[in-house]
Amino acid sequence: MSGDMLNDKEATQYDRQIRLWGLDAQKRIRNTRVLFVGLRGFGVETCKNIVLAGVKSLTLMDDAVTTDADLSAQFFLGVDDVGKNRAEACLARLQALNPLVEVTAETGSPQSLTVDILKNYDVVCLTGGDLSLHMAINELTRQAGVRFFAGDVFGMHGYFFSDQLEHHYLVDQPVVGGDDTEPATKQAKRSIDYCSLTQALATSFKGIKTRRLPMLYIVIRALDQHRQTGQAQAAAVAHVCSEMDVDPSTLPQDLLDQVFSAGSFELNPAAAILGGVLGGEIIKVVSGKDEPVDNIFLWDATTSNGTVYRLGSTAQPKPVEAAEVIEL
């Protein structure tokens, strides 16, 4: 298959997408190799979207077996799959969505990944697991020069982080003085210099007004602290707030209770919506079209609000206020 041309079957399959974002963007998508780690509800919803978009290949990686709990949010698994490896169990259903994409499964653990392995991919996406694992994989992707996403869902809440290294993209902007009867646009080049997850997590919110704080992010950090150390909720919250220069009393108690009570349990509405947003972001960065999330997206399904914050800095960790609020 040529890397420069789409064959007739591909041109027919992706006709609507080519009309939406152009032939060159579709070619870039078609040449993209994705490694996706973690095939719970959030993960498979994301995979569904990138398979339909027509990437070159998708490698599913998961060392866990299917449980009854998976069936509440993972619609690509059935009762007969309980006890089977999650990646292998949902491979056939994902492949059936688009036979033009090469879908394979790996049953190893993310801890087995190395820089040399990651160099075989263009995008690595990790869902589930704790933040220490996410940071470790992100450091490897940076050494390999590979794009990185990571996230998770906790009941009706979730997030994903994006590290696209130095990313260049095109945006459409109006042309002044064009024909008034038909608005004209031209493409302009833009770039973003992303920070690592380690730098983002080092962000201090000292001096940031309470209404501008990423409350859900702070609560997720506290939950991760609780999971990794076994600390009680109050102790985990106090520890994380001390690190980030935040007054623990400013955190909404109902949000704390919702996230901590959900723990690692996924609800499909949140997994489906967040998977749709993340899938769209992956396509956006590999196609080079439009401005991507920089660098964390927080989703609250109880209020139907998605919020983008820019954390950290490529120079040194520093607080950055909310960049955009997206009503979905």
Side-chain angles (χ1 to χ4, degrees):
M1 183 183 297
S2 170
D4 296 327
M5 299 295 294
L6 299 183
N7 60 39
D8 291 343
K9 192 172 184 179
E10 290 172 323
T12 301
Q13 174 89 357
Y14 305 128
D15 177 69
R16 292 178 63 186
Q17 296 170 194
I18 293 170
R19 294 172 186 270
L20 176 63
W21 50 56
L23 180 59
D24 288 341
Q26 187 62 47
K27 288 178 182 177
R28 288 190 287 270
I29 294 169
R30 198 276 307 273
N31 289 329
T32 298
R33 304 158 300 170
V34 180
L35 171 63
F36 205 100
V37 183
L39 272 298
R40 299 178 67 222
F42 174 30
V44 81
E45 290 287 348
T46 308
C47 289
K48 173 193 70 178
N49 290 296
I50 60 179
V51 166
L52 291 172
V55 295
K56 178 180 181 180
S57 66
L58 172 65
T59 301
L60 311 172
M61 187 177 197
D62 200 321
D63 61 348
V65 298
T66 305
T67 65
D68 290 332
D70 291 321
L71 306 183
S72 66
Q74 224 280 35
F75 290 168
F76 283 68
L77 296 172
V79 175
D80 293 341
D81 295 316
V82 173
K84 300 178 182 177
N85 177 269
R86 281 196 300 233
E88 293 180 331
C90 62
L91 186 152
R93 295 181 180 94
L94 283 169
Q95 181 67 83
L97 294 176
N98 190 347
L100 299 179
V101 177
E102 178 187 350
V103 184
T104 58
E106 295 286 345
T107 60
S109 70
Q111 288 83 356
S112 66
L113 294 171
T114 64
V115 172
D116 287 340
I117 291 174
L118 296 178
K119 286 181 178 179
N120 294 314
Y121 301 96
D122 304 294
V123 177
V124 172
C125 189
L126 174 63
T127 60
D130 55 48
L131 290 173
S132 61
L133 174 63
H134 293 191
M135 286 191 288
I137 300 300
N138 185 209
E139 292 305 314
L140 294 178
T141 59
R142 288 200 140 230
Q143 293 176 45
V146 174
R147 301 178 184 278
F148 174 80
F149 294 90
D152 207 349
V153 167
F154 318 94
M156 295 292 281
H157 301 84
Y159 82 99
F160 67 81
F161 171 80
S162 174
D163 175 15
Q164 306 308 308
L165 307 171
E166 184 179 352
H167 178 62
H168 303 276
Y169 60 98
L170 297 173
V171 294
D172 292 329
Q173 64 180 30
V175 175
V176 179
D179 187 347
D180 293 337
T181 62
E182 193 169 326
T185 61
K186 67 176 182 179
Q187 289 193 323
K189 292 183 178 180
R190 298 284 187 271
S191 65
I192 299 175
D193 196 6
Y194 283 78
C195 72
S196 69
L197 179 58
T198 299
Q199 290 174 303
L201 295 181
T203 298
S204 166
F205 296 106
K206 186 176 182 179
I208 302 298
K209 295 180 180 179
T210 299
R211 64 182 178 83
R212 305 293 282 176
L213 289 173
M215 295 298 186
L216 179 54
Y217 164 75
I218 299 169
V219 171
I220 290 171
R221 288 284 306 276
L223 177 62
D224 183 73
Q225 175 71 15
H226 163 71
R227 285 175 168 180
Q228 294 197 55
T229 66
Q231 289 179 319
Q233 176 176 317
V237 169
H239 178 89
V240 167
C241 286
S242 175
E243 286 187 337
M244 294 188 283
D245 296 305
V246 173
D247 180 355
S249 66
T250 62
L251 300 182
Q253 189 60 48
D254 59 342
L255 180 60
L256 279 164
D257 293 341
Q258 290 168 8
V259 173
F260 270 78
S261 63
S264 60
F265 184 75
E266 292 181 307
L267 289 176
N268 182 260
I273 293 174
L274 193 59
V277 177
L278 177 53
E281 282 300 308
I282 294 172
I283 297 306
K284 190 186 295 182
V285 297
V286 300
S287 68
K289 293 280 289 185
D290 300 323
E291 183 176 1
V293 164
D294 176 21
N295 50 15
I296 190 168
F297 179 84
L298 303 170
W299 172 247
D300 183 346
T302 66
T303 59
S304 297
N305 280 336
T307 311
V308 177
Y309 280 84
R310 189 175 193 274
L311 303 177
S313 167
T314 53
Q316 59 183 11
K318 65 179 181 180
V320 184
E321 294 190 4
E324 182 180 10
V325 176
I326 306 171
E327 301 283 345
L328 299 179

